[in-house]
Amino acid sequence: MILLIITKLMAAIILLAADRAVVATSIRAGDVLGADHNMGDERLVLSEYVAPFHGSSAMGAFLRTSPQLTTLCNMEFKGEQVWQCEPRKALVDLRTLDIVGTSYNSPRTNKKASYNETIMSLGDELPLGRQLEFYGKHWDLDRSILFCKFCFKERLGYAEAVIQSFETSPPRAFVDKGIKRLRYAEIVMWRPLCMHRLSHLSKATSAYHLLHEIKILEDAFQRIQANLASGKPFISVGLHELVWSPADLARRMLTFLPWLSSLDPAGNHSALKSQADFGTQHPPVDCCGFDLSTQMCSLDGPEYKLLSPKELMRARDVSSRLVNAARGAVSMNQTPQ
């Protein structure tokens, strides 16, 4: 009996020590900026602009270490938590069907189904306010940052239209929480060309797929230019920052979005488990030919011999532009409006 009590006591001490260790790794916005920030009766909708399978899940997991961020991962199905972070995989329950305003009399009612089958199949004419109501069903509206992976990705100006719809007719869930204003900000994320080697899903072993990866980088830079032109608040982030410099990225992210309150660069981040551990296990030069000092790929691996000198120059040019953007070329949008 005494041995059992001692064992339980030791276990409790170990758990307490572990909790304190986790807290100690967190970086607070107050420490970075000298003051804490509170959104009061406002909320900020945050979305990612990033190609699928290029670090979006890792970024989402990193952001979820903030106590002030809520995601669509918090869905429930018949009282049980369901791991669904993307609106394309929304739950089809009776409340959702009521929100989209359709009758769906089939055996699939109250079962998981594709977002495309529930929302997009009704066309793009679904009132924007109803989309916000749909998201609000799953967000924890007591938190400051409302994160939606891949939301508002395709069309420029669409996010602004959604925000404007809130001002015209705010959904009941938001009104009940006393929310009077929505803001919007975006993370433009990109993966350095040579970091494809870290993904088991990468197909960049042919000239065709390498050129596709270059096009993805160019698309990210075009998004940055479009955001600058429109004045949309955004931050540009390279996957290398998340893998090898997570503490620096946490500080930069908290400067951009102080309402996150804190971020834990050494936390347990599903896709990468711990960014710190993952980065240590995959040294940048050894794994990818990536130079941390220049934040550029050497592009001297065997796969790059498949590209012509002109194509290699194209890759280096867009990479350089993206690195400069991440270093502060977008500082005019440091604070969301």
Side-chain angles (χ1 to χ4, degrees), residues 241-254:
E241 298 179 80
L242 194 58
V243 174
W244 293 304
S245 306
D248 290 339
L249 176 60
R251 295 184 185 93
R252 198 159 73 87
M253 193 68 72
L254 289 168

Side-chain angles (χ1 to χ4, degrees), residues 101 148 205 208 221 241 282:
C148 187
T205 54
Y208 173 82
F221 186 69
E241 298 179 80
H282 299 83

Side-chain angles (χ1 to χ4, degrees), residues 15-28:
L15 287 174
L16 180 60
D19 288 342
R20 288 179 175 174
V22 170
V23 171
T25 64
S26 295
I27 297 175
R28 294 177 57 255

Side-chain angles (χ1 to χ4, degrees), residues 219-240:
D219 179 65
F221 186 69
Q222 289 171 7
R223 184 69 169 203
I224 289 173
Q225 290 181 306
N227 284 347
L228 283 170
S230 68
K232 178 188 294 182
F234 74 103
I235 186 170
S236 172
V237 177
L239 181 60
H240 60 283

